Amino acid sequence: MTFNPAILDSVLRSRSLTRRQLSRRLNIDDEELNRELEREPEPKQGLLNDIAHELSLPSFVFFMERAPKLHDVIPDFRSDDPKPRPKSRETIESIQFAEGVQRAAIEGLARGADALPHFNAKTNREVDDFALLARSFFGISVEDQLAAKDAKAFYVIVRKKIEDRGIFVLQDSFPEKDGSGFCLSHPIYPVILVNTKQQTRGRRLFTLVHELAHVLMGVTGISDPFVHANRVERLCNRFAGSFLVPERFVGRLLAKITPNSDPDVNMVARCARALKISQQATVLRLEELKVFKDGSHEKWLRAIHNLGNPDFSEKGGGANGPPPQEKVKLARFGFNFATAFAPLLESGSLSEINLYRSSGLKPKFQKAYFDFARSLTSDELQDLGLDDD
């Protein structure tokens, strides 16, 4: 078999890249790259390995007769016209991780999602009504929100209750310039992945519920909830705000605060702590509800411009050493992963090595993580600290 340049060009088109863009990623002059690719009898294997690594593919792909079908190409909803756009290697690998989990669930006939409600609302009032219905469907009460000690705890509770309905919620880290999270829709095995890069738990919470809206719409895509240039994203953002802060709950959630209509950054921070959500989501939602006056979000953005966005950093653990691996795996793979795959391993329908090949979860960690995830009680969720790896 010989090197097939048409395969490379096909893969580059799928990745929304040109040869010139590839050369920049490889730190090679584009003319030099073309010369190397035209080398006789074929390019150096080292170069092909570097290209394959950057494109997140095995190098043998370039010697195939036909280009493979790539399952890791998804629309980017951060523009007026959502379509696939160039992504970093790390982001592609995160999509491959999520796609591998979804594929393993499909092939293994794992327990799937319940009959999820379908999101097809058009007006803000319809979105608000549907968000309240969805929150009830997932069993997230105002008491859950009030009892959570902070946004980190509420994020775990909301994530767990969403996963209890059969939706996979994964975490991974990829460059923030590529988005805050994404959804791989499926009628039975939907997957949400939340980007842990520069997102506090409060911001991750809004990302999670935004991607939940994508799941309930049946729309695959990558997003940043605070970049909403198209109708789908605006609907998903409205859903997330209404889901996390239903109008009928606001009085109880802010009972210990008397918010003024023209808030400064300290007032926004206080309200965010009470609501257990991010500061940006707080100012946006309370402006929607007329608790804050029009323009409060823009004023807040100006105020934090030189201070830094408080939703992009969070003090982590680690003072007492690294967390136990079962907690690290639970943070990455979530609750439904254990619910879906542990029975398949126990019945022999799925082998440890095949689960590792699909998801990257090493066999030596599987049982401890599954046992831990399935043993947790609702009371333990309140104090469950899940730190990133």
Side-chain angles (χ1 to χ4, degrees), residues 335-355:
F335 299 91
N336 187 48
F337 188 99
T339 301
F341 291 116
L344 298 182
L345 287 179
E346 292 162 358
S347 69
S349 301
L350 178 67
S351 69
E352 292 178 338
I353 193 65
N354 282 338
L355 183 59

Side-chain angles (χ1 to χ4, degrees), residues 3 7-8 11 15 45 47-64 66-70 72 89 92-93 96:
F3 171 68
I7 297 292
L8 172 59
V11 171
R15 293 276 185 257
Q45 188 61 48
L47 173 64
L48 294 180
N49 290 343
D50 289 343
I51 293 173
H53 177 70
E54 184 59 38
L55 299 178
S56 300
L57 291 168
S59 58
F60 69 76
V61 163
F62 303 130
F63 295 86
M64 296 171 62
R66 288 185 295 274
K69 184 176 181 180
L70 302 181
D72 51 36
R89 174 180 54 80
I92 294 169
E93 289 173 352
Q96 291 173 341

Side-chain angles (χ1 to χ4, degrees), residues 39-284:
R39 177 189 291 270
E40 295 294 343
E42 62 185 31
K44 292 179 181 178
Q45 188 61 48
L47 173 64
L48 294 180
N49 290 343
D50 289 343
I51 293 173
H53 177 70
E54 184 59 38
L55 299 178
S56 300
L57 291 168
S59 58
F60 69 76
V61 163
F62 303 130
F63 295 86
M64 296 171 62
E65 292 183 4
R66 288 185 295 274
K69 184 176 181 180
L70 302 181
H71 300 283
D72 51 36
V73 179
I74 63 176
D76 189 328
F77 275 85
R78 295 173 300 156
S79 62
D80 295 339
D81 178 24
K83 60 184 179 181
R85 298 182 187 281
K87 295 285 179 290
S88 69
R89 174 180 54 80
E90 295 88 347
T91 305
I92 294 169
E93 289 173 352
S94 290
I95 297 171
Q96 291 173 341
F97 162 48
E99 194 274 332
V101 171
Q102 187 178 67
R103 184 177 61 251
I106 294 169
E107 293 175 352
L109 299 177
R111 189 208 80 164
D114 295 331
L116 301 173
H118 181 60
F119 181 25
N120 61 358
K122 303 293 190 296
T123 67
N124 284 340
R125 183 71 265 166
E126 289 174 342
V127 174
D128 293 347
D129 291 344
F130 177 79
L132 192 60
L133 179 152
R135 181 164 167 146
S136 176
F137 175 84
F138 289 102
I140 301 165
S141 68
V142 66
E143 287 76 21
D144 290 326
Q145 199 159 350
L146 288 167
K149 64 182 181 181
D150 54 24
K152 293 178 72 171
F154 191 45
Y155 173 68
V156 172
I157 292 166
V158 173
R159 179 182 182 181
K160 174 67 163 59
K161 294 203 172 191
I162 288 173
E163 294 203 69
D164 283 346
R165 288 292 193 168
I167 297 171
F168 291 97
V169 179
L170 311 174
Q171 289 193 155
D172 202 13
S173 177
F174 57 85
E176 65 274 16
K177 66 181 177 61
D178 282 344
S180 299
F182 59 81
C183 152
L184 302 182
S185 67
H186 190 278
I188 304 173
Y189 302 109
V191 179
I192 292 170
L193 188 141
V194 177
N195 187 4
T196 60
K197 187 82 168 181
Q198 285 203 345
Q199 287 200 96
T200 63
R201 299 314 192 284
R203 196 177 196 276
R204 291 182 206 179
L205 178 57
F206 196 85
T207 295
L208 168 60
V209 181
H210 177 101
E211 298 304 332
L212 175 62
H214 273 265
V215 166
L216 302 182
M217 280 184 171
V219 176
T220 291
I222 193 164
S223 309
D224 181 334
F226 300 103
V227 180
H228 39 85
N230 58 74
R231 179 178 171 276
V232 169
E233 294 299 88
R234 287 191 288 271
L235 287 173
C236 290
N237 268 16
R238 181 77 185 202
F239 171 89
S242 300
F243 185 100
L244 291 169
V245 188
E247 187 171 5
R248 68 173 61 176
F249 293 176
V250 173
R252 291 183 64 184
L253 292 170
L254 297 180
K256 297 180 180 180
I257 300 174
T258 305
N260 54 58
S261 64
D262 187 16
D264 60 15
V265 291
N266 293 324
M267 175 56 70
V268 171
R270 286 185 63 201
C271 290
R273 286 193 294 270
L275 297 174
K276 321 293 170 61
I277 64 176
S278 71
Q279 293 191 34
Q280 190 164 10
T282 293
V283 69
L284 280 167

Side-chain angles (χ1 to χ4, degrees), residues 35 39 99 246 252 274 286 364 372:
R35 282 196 303 271
R39 177 189 291 270
E99 194 274 332
R252 291 183 64 184
L286 294 185
K364 67 179 180 179
F372 176 67

